[in-house]
Amino acid sequence: RTFGALMLVSADPNRLFDEDDLDFAKHLGRRAAVAVDNARLYREAERRARAALVVQHVADGVLLVNNEGVIRLWNPAAEHITGVPAQDALGRPAAEIFPGWSAIAALGDNTEHRPLTQAVSVNGRELWLSIGAVGFDDGSVYAFRDLTEERTVEALKSDFVSTISHELRTPLAAIYGAALTLRREDVPL
């Protein structure tokens, strides 16, 4: 690859460059090319380190699954949410961690990138996860958020409203019946 050009100039018009000068220029050019290549590699390594730092500290579980369905990345939030340590997840098929993986895996092919909320059994616990995915040539990246507590609160709220509705129906029916009786003109008071 060509990174640039090196030009040797002499202030003395009688000075001609010889074979040793050419060898020196080639040697200098190779060293400069190595330095430029190292700088590019260093910038790329820094960029990847920043991206890895973000993945390590994001609150959502993040996993990278290759095209064979094997987990290649499992961040600390994924450990916390599922209770599965990274050393137990990495290198294993995602279907072993997440029963019913086929429904989740299909999200990697989804071009709408809409998350799916699904009940998942992990380590004998039922979790409600909101899962989104983005596919790429070598696999898919999945991000998931635990909605188990929100789901539980919603179920409690629904049960409470149902119970209150049922409990109030009987007394309200009696009051409604009495009010209708009072409104009748053919019944003396």
Coordinates of all heavy atoms in Angstrom, one line a residue, residues 74-126:
W74 N -20.6 -12.0 26.3 CA -21.6 -12.0 27.3 C -21.2 -11.0 28.4 O -20.2 -11.2 29.1 CB -21.6 -13.4 27.9 CG -22.7 -13.8 28.9 CD1 -22.5 -13.8 30.3 CD2 -24.0 -14.2 28.6 NE1 -23.7 -14.2 30.8 CE2 -24.6 -14.5 29.9 CE3 -24.7 -14.5 27.5 CZ2 -25.9 -14.9 30.0 CZ3 -26.0 -14.9 27.6 CH2 -26.6 -15.1 28.8
N75 N -21.9 -9.8 28.4 CA -21.4 -8.8 29.3 C -21.9 -9.0 30.7 O -22.7 -9.8 31.0 CB -21.9 -7.4 28.7 CG -23.3 -7.1 28.9 OD1 -24.2 -7.9 29.1 ND2 -23.7 -5.8 28.8
P76 N -21.4 -8.1 31.6 CA -21.7 -8.3 33.1 C -23.2 -8.1 33.3 O -23.8 -8.8 34.2 CB -20.9 -7.2 33.7 CG -19.7 -7.0 32.9 CD -20.2 -7.2 31.5
A77 N -23.9 -7.3 32.6 CA -25.3 -7.1 32.8 C -26.1 -8.4 32.4 O -27.1 -8.7 33.1 CB -25.9 -5.9 32.0
A78 N -25.6 -9.1 31.4 CA -26.2 -10.4 31.0 C -26.0 -11.4 32.2 O -27.0 -12.1 32.5 CB -25.6 -10.9 29.7
E79 N -24.9 -11.3 32.8 CA -24.6 -12.2 34.0 C -25.6 -11.9 35.1 O -26.2 -12.8 35.7 CB -23.2 -12.0 34.5 CG -22.1 -12.6 33.7 CD -20.8 -12.4 34.4 OE1 -20.7 -12.4 35.6 OE2 -19.7 -12.4 33.7
H80 N -25.7 -10.6 35.4 CA -26.6 -10.1 36.5 C -28.1 -10.5 36.2 O -28.8 -11.0 37.1 CB -26.4 -8.6 36.6 CG -27.3 -8.0 37.7 ND1 -27.1 -8.3 39.0 CD2 -28.5 -7.3 37.6 CE1 -28.1 -7.7 39.7 NE2 -28.9 -7.1 38.9
I81 N -28.5 -10.2 35.0 CA -30.0 -10.5 34.7 C -30.3 -12.0 34.7 O -31.3 -12.4 35.3 CB -30.3 -9.8 33.3 CG1 -30.3 -8.3 33.4 CG2 -31.7 -10.3 32.9 CD1 -30.3 -7.6 32.1
T82 N -29.4 -12.8 34.1 CA -29.7 -14.2 33.9 C -29.2 -15.1 35.1 O -29.7 -16.2 35.3 CB -29.1 -14.8 32.6 OG1 -27.7 -14.7 32.7 CG2 -29.7 -14.0 31.4
G83 N -28.2 -14.6 35.8 CA -27.6 -15.4 36.8 C -26.6 -16.4 36.2 O -26.1 -17.3 37.0
V84 N -26.3 -16.3 35.0 CA -25.3 -17.2 34.3 C -24.0 -16.4 34.2 O -23.9 -15.4 33.4 CB -25.9 -17.6 32.9 CG1 -24.8 -18.5 32.2 CG2 -27.2 -18.3 33.0
P85 N -22.9 -17.0 34.8 CA -21.6 -16.3 34.7 C -21.1 -16.4 33.2 O -21.4 -17.3 32.5 CB -20.7 -17.1 35.6 CG -21.6 -17.9 36.5 CD -22.9 -18.1 35.7
A86 N -20.3 -15.4 32.9 CA -19.7 -15.4 31.5 C -19.0 -16.7 31.2 O -19.1 -17.2 30.1 CB -18.8 -14.2 31.3
Q87 N -18.2 -17.2 32.1 CA -17.4 -18.4 31.8 C -18.3 -19.6 31.5 O -17.9 -20.5 30.8 CB -16.4 -18.8 32.9 CG -17.0 -19.1 34.2 CD -17.1 -18.0 35.2 OE1 -17.1 -16.8 34.8 NE2 -17.3 -18.3 36.5
D88 N -19.6 -19.6 32.0 CA -20.5 -20.7 31.7 C -21.3 -20.4 30.4 O -21.8 -21.4 29.8 CB -21.5 -20.8 32.8 CG -20.9 -21.3 34.1 OD1 -19.8 -21.8 34.1 OD2 -21.6 -21.2 35.2
A89 N -21.3 -19.2 29.9 CA -22.0 -18.9 28.7 C -21.2 -18.9 27.4 O -21.6 -19.3 26.4 CB -22.8 -17.5 28.9
L90 N -20.0 -18.3 27.6 CA -19.1 -18.2 26.4 C -18.7 -19.5 25.8 O -18.3 -20.4 26.5 CB -17.8 -17.4 26.8 CG -18.1 -15.9 27.1 CD1 -16.8 -15.3 27.7 CD2 -18.6 -15.1 26.0
G91 N -18.8 -19.6 24.5 CA -18.5 -20.8 23.8 C -19.6 -21.9 23.8 O -19.4 -22.9 23.1
R92 N -20.7 -21.6 24.4 CA -21.8 -22.6 24.4 C -22.9 -22.1 23.4 O -23.0 -20.9 23.2 CB -22.4 -22.7 25.8 CG -21.6 -23.4 26.8 CD -22.2 -23.5 28.2 NE -23.5 -24.1 28.2 CZ -24.3 -24.0 29.2 NH1 -23.9 -23.3 30.3 NH2 -25.5 -24.5 29.2
P93 N -23.7 -23.0 22.9 CA -24.8 -22.6 22.0 C -25.8 -21.8 22.9 O -26.1 -22.1 24.0 CB -25.4 -23.9 21.6 CG -24.3 -24.9 21.7 CD -23.5 -24.5 22.9
A94 N -26.3 -20.8 22.3 CA -27.3 -19.9 23.0 C -28.5 -20.7 23.3 O -29.2 -20.4 24.3 CB -27.7 -18.7 22.1
A95 N -28.9 -21.7 22.6 CA -30.1 -22.5 22.9 C -29.9 -23.3 24.2 O -30.9 -23.6 24.8 CB -30.3 -23.5 21.7
E96 N -28.7 -23.5 24.6 CA -28.5 -24.2 25.9 C -28.8 -23.2 27.1 O -29.2 -23.6 28.2 CB -27.1 -24.7 26.1 CG -26.8 -25.9 25.2 CD -25.3 -26.4 25.4 OE1 -24.7 -26.0 26.4 OE2 -24.9 -27.2 24.5
I97 N -28.5 -21.9 26.9 CA -28.8 -20.9 27.9 C -30.3 -20.5 27.9 O -30.9 -20.4 28.9 CB -27.9 -19.7 27.7 CG1 -26.4 -20.1 27.7 CG2 -28.1 -18.7 28.8 CD1 -25.8 -20.6 28.9
F98 N -30.8 -20.3 26.7 CA -32.2 -19.8 26.5 C -33.0 -20.9 25.8 O -32.9 -21.0 24.6 CB -32.2 -18.6 25.6 CG -31.5 -17.4 26.2 CD1 -30.2 -17.0 25.8 CD2 -32.1 -16.6 27.2 CE1 -29.6 -15.9 26.4 CE2 -31.5 -15.5 27.8 CZ -30.2 -15.2 27.3
P99 N -33.8 -21.7 26.6 CA -34.7 -22.6 25.9 C -35.7 -21.8 25.0 O -36.1 -20.7 25.4 CB -35.4 -23.3 27.1 CG -34.5 -23.1 28.2 CD -33.8 -21.8 28.0
G100 N -36.0 -22.3 23.9 CA -36.8 -21.6 23.0 C -36.1 -20.5 22.2 O -36.6 -19.5 21.8
W101 N -34.8 -20.8 22.0 CA -33.9 -19.8 21.4 C -34.3 -19.5 19.9 O -34.1 -18.4 19.5 CB -32.5 -20.3 21.4 CG -31.5 -19.5 20.6 CD1 -30.9 -19.7 19.4 CD2 -31.1 -18.1 21.0 NE1 -30.1 -18.7 19.0 CE2 -30.2 -17.7 20.0 CE3 -31.3 -17.3 22.1 CZ2 -29.6 -16.5 20.0 CZ3 -30.7 -16.1 22.1 CH2 -29.8 -15.7 21.1
S102 N -35.0 -20.4 19.3 CA -35.3 -20.1 17.8 C -36.2 -18.9 17.7 O -36.0 -18.1 16.7 CB -36.0 -21.4 17.2 OG -37.2 -21.6 18.0
A103 N -37.1 -18.6 18.6 CA -37.9 -17.4 18.5 C -37.0 -16.1 18.7 O -37.2 -15.1 18.0 CB -39.0 -17.4 19.5
I104 N -36.0 -16.2 19.6 CA -35.1 -15.1 19.8 C -34.2 -14.9 18.6 O -33.9 -13.8 18.2 CB -34.4 -15.3 21.1 CG1 -35.3 -15.4 22.3 CG2 -33.3 -14.2 21.4 CD1 -34.7 -15.8 23.6
A105 N -33.7 -16.1 18.1 CA -32.7 -16.0 17.0 C -33.3 -15.4 15.8 O -32.6 -14.7 15.0 CB -32.2 -17.4 16.7
A106 N -34.6 -15.5 15.6 CA -35.2 -14.9 14.4 C -35.1 -13.4 14.4 O -35.2 -12.7 13.4 CB -36.7 -15.4 14.3
L107 N -34.9 -12.8 15.6 CA -34.8 -11.4 15.7 C -33.6 -10.8 15.0 O -33.6 -9.7 14.6 CB -34.8 -10.9 17.2 CG -36.0 -11.0 18.0 CD1 -35.8 -10.8 19.5 CD2 -37.1 -10.1 17.5
G108 N -32.6 -11.7 14.9 CA -31.3 -11.2 14.2 C -31.6 -11.0 12.7 O -30.8 -10.2 12.1
D109 N -32.6 -11.6 12.2 CA -32.9 -11.4 10.8 C -34.0 -10.3 10.6 O -34.3 -10.0 9.4 CB -33.5 -12.7 10.2 CG -32.4 -13.9 10.3 OD1 -31.2 -13.6 10.2 OD2 -32.9 -15.0 10.4
N110 N -34.5 -9.8 11.7 CA -35.6 -8.8 11.6 C -35.0 -7.5 11.1 O -34.1 -6.9 11.8 CB -36.2 -8.7 13.0 CG -37.3 -7.7 13.1 OD1 -37.7 -7.1 12.1 ND2 -37.9 -7.6 14.2
T111 N -35.5 -7.0 10.1 CA -35.0 -5.7 9.5 C -35.7 -4.5 10.2 O -35.2 -3.4 10.1 CB -35.2 -5.6 8.0 OG1 -36.6 -5.8 7.7 CG2 -34.4 -6.6 7.3
E112 N -36.8 -4.7 10.9 CA -37.5 -3.6 11.6 C -36.8 -3.2 12.9 O -37.0 -2.2 13.5 CB -38.9 -4.0 11.9 CG -39.7 -4.3 10.7 CD -41.1 -4.7 11.1 OE1 -41.6 -4.5 12.2 OE2 -41.8 -5.4 10.2
H113 N -36.0 -4.1 13.5 CA -35.3 -3.9 14.8 C -36.2 -3.6 15.9 O -35.9 -2.8 16.8 CB -34.2 -2.8 14.6 CG -33.2 -3.1 13.5 ND1 -32.4 -4.2 13.5 CD2 -33.0 -2.5 12.3 CE1 -31.7 -4.2 12.4 NE2 -32.0 -3.2 11.7
R114 N -37.4 -4.2 15.9 CA -38.3 -4.0 17.0 C -38.1 -5.0 18.1 O -38.0 -6.2 17.7 CB -39.8 -4.1 16.5 CG -40.1 -2.9 15.5 CD -41.5 -2.9 15.1 NE -42.2 -2.6 16.4 CZ -43.5 -2.6 16.5 NH1 -44.2 -3.0 15.5 NH2 -44.1 -2.4 17.6
P115 N -38.1 -4.6 19.3 CA -37.8 -5.6 20.4 C -39.0 -6.6 20.6 O -40.1 -6.2 20.3 CB -37.5 -4.8 21.6 CG -38.1 -3.5 21.3 CD -38.1 -3.3 19.8
L116 N -38.7 -7.7 21.1 CA -39.7 -8.7 21.4 C -39.7 -8.9 22.9 O -38.7 -9.0 23.5 CB -39.4 -10.1 20.7 CG -40.1 -11.3 21.2 CD1 -41.5 -11.3 20.6 CD2 -39.3 -12.5 20.7
T117 N -40.9 -8.9 23.5 CA -41.0 -9.2 24.9 C -41.5 -10.6 25.1 O -42.5 -11.0 24.5 CB -42.0 -8.2 25.6 OG1 -41.6 -6.9 25.4 CG2 -42.1 -8.5 27.1
Q118 N -40.7 -11.4 25.8 CA -41.0 -12.8 25.9 C -40.6 -13.4 27.2 O -39.6 -12.9 27.8 CB -40.1 -13.5 24.8 CG -40.3 -15.0 24.7 CD -39.6 -15.6 23.5 OE1 -39.4 -14.9 22.5 NE2 -39.3 -16.8 23.6
A119 N -41.4 -14.3 27.7 CA -41.0 -15.1 28.9 C -39.9 -16.1 28.5 O -40.1 -16.8 27.5 CB -42.2 -15.8 29.5
V120 N -38.9 -16.1 29.3 CA -37.8 -17.0 29.0 C -37.4 -17.7 30.4 O -37.3 -17.0 31.4 CB -36.5 -16.2 28.5 CG1 -35.3 -17.1 28.3 CG2 -36.9 -15.5 27.2
S121 N -37.1 -19.0 30.3 CA -36.7 -19.7 31.5 C -35.2 -19.9 31.5 O -34.7 -20.4 30.5 CB -37.4 -21.1 31.5 OG -36.9 -21.8 32.6
V122 N -34.6 -19.3 32.5 CA -33.1 -19.4 32.6 C -32.7 -19.8 34.0 O -33.2 -19.2 34.9 CB -32.4 -18.0 32.2 CG1 -30.9 -18.1 32.4 CG2 -32.8 -17.5 30.9
N123 N -32.0 -20.8 34.1 CA -31.5 -21.4 35.4 C -32.7 -21.6 36.3 O -32.7 -21.4 37.5 CB -30.6 -20.4 36.1 CG -29.2 -20.6 35.7 OD1 -28.8 -21.6 35.0 ND2 -28.3 -19.7 36.0
G124 N -33.8 -22.1 35.7 CA -35.0 -22.5 36.6 C -35.8 -21.3 37.0 O -36.8 -21.4 37.7
R125 N -35.5 -20.1 36.5 CA -36.2 -18.9 36.8 C -36.9 -18.4 35.5 O -36.4 -18.4 34.5 CB -35.3 -17.7 37.3 CG -34.6 -18.0 38.5 CD -33.6 -16.9 38.9 NE -33.9 -15.6 38.4 CZ -33.0 -14.7 37.9 NH1 -31.7 -15.1 37.8 NH2 -33.3 -13.5 37.5
E126 N -38.2 -17.9 35.7 CA -38.9 -17.3 34.6 C -38.6 -15.8 34.6 O -38.8 -15.1 35.5 CB -40.4 -17.5 34.6 CG -41.1 -17.0 33.4 CD -42.6 -17.1 33.5 OE1 -43.2 -16.4 34.2 OE2 -43.1 -17.9 32.7

